[in-house]
Amino acid sequence: MLKQLPRWVELGSFALALVAGSVNAIALLGFNHQGVSHLSGSSSLLGVELAQGQWQAALHLLAIMLSFVLGAALSAALINHQALRADRRYSVVLGLEALLLVCTALLLQHNHSAGHYLASLACGLQNGMTTTYSGALLRTTHVTGIFTDLGIMLGQRLRGQRADRRRIWLYLLLASGFIVGGVLGTLSYLAHSYNALLWPALAASLLAAGGWYLWRPASRH
């Protein structure tokens, strides 16, 4: 599947991982240590809250998880195909993600918990988009699978099997983008509180605008 993707996918994936890493870092700092770019931690916390009988906290976590799922569902409904194409619908999804992040910042500035759900919705939207066009190869909002695959490829290399250099390079870009995004998100949050979400929103907007311009011929068919 990776061989069928154009070379610019690497750069775009790095940028998207940067956005997600930043949003998740801001969430960890400002949402009571609740990540929104993936559901593993939230699922564990949900189990803890249920075991302790903290029903309100459990409902909050469940809403975050359902928001992520809804975002992925919305992405699939908007894009409606599984192969990467010159299609402005990707720009629509990225534009919607940017709008959600702006709304998240506005809500959280007024201590409204709905901002948590919109942030998770935005991450689900992004992850659903990259998953649909890459055949589940690219997951830009979390890195567990990336490090697992890197470990598998290392093991295969130790057995003398040939390494897929492009895939290794892509995974390293994704992981580094997520980490660098976390650094930028943290520094931004410490300086600007929830307004820090505006820069990943701007990044998503620029990606949306770039795709809209580059893929303008496809809109004529």
Side-chain angles (χ1 to χ4, degrees), residues 159-200:
R159 290 178 58 87
Q161 299 180 24
R162 192 171 184 177
D164 186 337
R165 293 185 178 181
R166 187 184 182 192
R167 180 171 293 197
I168 292 173
W169 171 243
L170 174 61
Y171 286 165
L172 290 175
L173 276 176
L174 287 169
S176 60
F178 196 85
I179 294 170
V180 172
V183 173
L184 295 176
T186 298
L187 294 175
S188 298
Y189 178 80
L190 294 176
H192 306 292
S193 186
Y194 291 118
N195 282 333
L197 287 165
L198 298 180
W199 90 254

Side-chain angles (χ1 to χ4, degrees), residues 2 5-14 17 134 137-140 146 150 153 164-177:
L2 181 58
L5 298 179
R7 284 289 176 179
W8 55 260
V9 166
E10 280 92 337
L11 181 59
S13 297
F14 175 84
S134 69
L137 178 65
L138 298 178
R139 308 275 188 169
T140 58
I146 291 172
L150 285 172
M153 286 186 286
D164 186 337
R165 293 185 178 181
R166 187 184 182 192
R167 180 171 293 197
I168 292 173
W169 171 243
L170 174 61
Y171 286 165
L172 290 175
L173 276 176
L174 287 169
S176 60

Side-chain angles (χ1 to χ4, degrees), residues 17-221:
L18 195 77
V19 169
S22 179
V23 171
N24 200 55
I26 295 168
L28 289 172
L29 291 169
F31 298 7
N32 296 321
H33 305 291
Q34 296 169 9
V36 294
S37 70
H38 54 281
L39 299 183
S40 299
S42 296
S43 297
S44 295
L45 285 173
L46 177 59
V48 171
E49 301 296 358
L50 288 173
Q52 295 179 343
Q54 301 294 327
W55 309 119
Q56 184 174 355
L59 286 173
H60 176 66
L61 288 166
L62 182 61
I64 287 178
M65 296 167 65
L66 291 176
S67 297
F68 189 96
V69 174
L70 179 60
L74 181 58
S75 177
L78 289 172
I79 294 174
N80 195 32
H81 54 73
Q82 296 183 345
L84 183 61
R85 303 175 184 175
D87 196 326
R88 283 182 164 181
R89 280 178 284 188
Y90 298 118
S91 292
V92 172
V93 170
L94 287 169
L96 180 57
E97 178 183 359
L99 177 61
L100 288 170
L101 291 176
V102 171
C103 292
T104 296
L106 293 174
L107 287 169
L108 292 177
Q109 285 171 1
H110 294 87
N111 298 316
H112 202 300
S113 61
H116 301 186
Y117 312 139
L118 292 187
S120 184
L121 182 69
C123 288
L125 195 69
Q126 177 181 310
N127 204 50
M129 180 189 70
T130 57
T131 300
T132 53
Y133 72 63
S134 69
L137 178 65
L138 298 178
R139 308 275 188 169
T140 58
T141 65
H142 55 89
V143 295
T144 303
I146 291 172
F147 285 116
T148 300
D149 287 345
L150 285 172
I152 290 172
M153 286 186 286
L154 176 60
Q156 292 172 340
R157 183 62 181 144
L158 292 174
R159 290 178 58 87
Q161 299 180 24
R162 192 171 184 177
D164 186 337
R165 293 185 178 181
R166 187 184 182 192
R167 180 171 293 197
I168 292 173
W169 171 243
L170 174 61
Y171 286 165
L172 290 175
L173 276 176
L174 287 169
S176 60
F178 196 85
I179 294 170
V180 172
V183 173
L184 295 176
T186 298
L187 294 175
S188 298
Y189 178 80
L190 294 176
H192 306 292
S193 186
Y194 291 118
N195 282 333
L197 287 165
L198 298 180
W199 90 254
L202 175 61
S205 297
L206 292 175
L207 290 170
W212 191 266
Y213 175 78
L214 291 173
W215 291 331
R216 62 191 184 282
S219 65
R220 299 171 188 168
H221 298 292

